Amino acid sequence: MSTIKNKTLEINRVPLSRMLKSEMADYAERATAIVSNYDHGSDLINDVHKLLENQAPKIELLRIRYGIDTQRLRVNSLKAKMMLKISALKVKVGIIKKDNLKLDMHVIENAIDNHLRHLNSKNDKELTQKIAGFFDLLDKNEEVFTQFSEFDLLQEVDIIKLAFTDMNIAYEKRVNLLSKRSKEPTREIMKNLHDAVNSLFKTIEVSHLVGYPTGLEEGDAASDFTDLINELSQLSDMYKRSIAIRIANNQRKLEKEKESEKGEEETEGIEDSEPMATAMRYGFDEDADEFADKGIASVDETDEEMGDDEEHYE
C-alpha cells in the first residue's frame, strides 16, 4: 500500500453559533456540490453524502424569509373595507327612518342589531359567524327579505356580501400558507444540517487517514483526498471570514448608534441649561432696575462715589 504524505489533514469547520440561517443553507449546499464534483470512489463517503443531499428540503426552509405576515395585512385591509360597507348600510337605514318617522322598520333594525352591531369587539371567528348569520336570515326569512327589498337596501347587502367573500378568500389563503410552514424550530433545522455537514467532513477525513479503499493489493494506490479536503477547508475559511466581517460591521454600526445617542443627550443637556443661564442674567438686570426705581445706588455707582470722596479728603 502506498503512503499518503499528510494523513493528519483535517477540514476546517465553521461554528454553528456564528452562522445565520441563510449562511447555513448556502454553506451546506456548496459543500454538497464540492463533494459531488470529486470522483472519490468511496462507498462510505457516497452514503454519508447522500444523507446530506436528502437535507435539500431543510435547506429550502432556511432560505424562506418570513418577515411581515403580508397575507394577514391583506385580511385586515379587506375586513376594514367590509366594515365600511356595513356602516354605509346602517347610515342609509338611519336616513330613511329620519325622513319618515312613521315608517315601521323594526324588522330591519332587529336584523341589524342582532347581527351587525358591535362587530369591532368580536374576534375574527365571532365576526364571521355574526355576518354569515345575517345573510342566512335574509335567505330564510321572507319577511326580512321583503322589508330590505321594499326600502331598496338589497344593493347594499350585495356589496357587503362581496366584501365578506373577498375577506374569507384571503383568510383561507393565509391559513393555507401557514399550514405549509415548518413546525420544526429554525435553530433545530440548522443544528441537524450542521451535524450532517460535519459527518460528511469526518467521513472524508477518516477515509483519507486509512487510505480508502482498504484491502488493496500490493502496488495499488490508495485514494488521496488532499485536494478535496483543501477545497472544503477553503470553503469553510471563506465563510468564517465573511461571518467575521459581518460581526465587525454590526459592532461598528452599534457603536456609532451609541455615540450618536450620547451626542444627542449632551446636546439636550446644553439646551436645557441655556434657559437657566438666561433667566439668571435677566434676573440681575431686573434687580438693578428695582434698585434704581427706589433710589438705591447700585454696587458700581457706590464704588464710584467712594472714589470721589477719597479725592476730596486728599
Side-chain angles (χ1 to χ4, degrees), residues 287-305:
D287 291 342
D289 293 338
E290 183 179 354
F291 289 145
D293 292 339
K294 294 181 179 180
I296 301 174
S298 66
V299 175
D300 294 336
E301 291 171 344
T302 305
D303 289 343
E304 290 175 359
E305 291 176 0

Side-chain angles (χ1 to χ4, degrees), residues 11 29 46 65 129 144 172 196 211 217 226 236 252 255 267 312:
I11 303 173
E29 191 173 65
N46 281 335
R65 297 176 61 90
Q129 289 175 346
V144 174
E172 291 171 2
E217 297 294 334
T226 301
S236 297
R252 281 195 294 270
E255 291 174 356
T267 302
H312 175 74

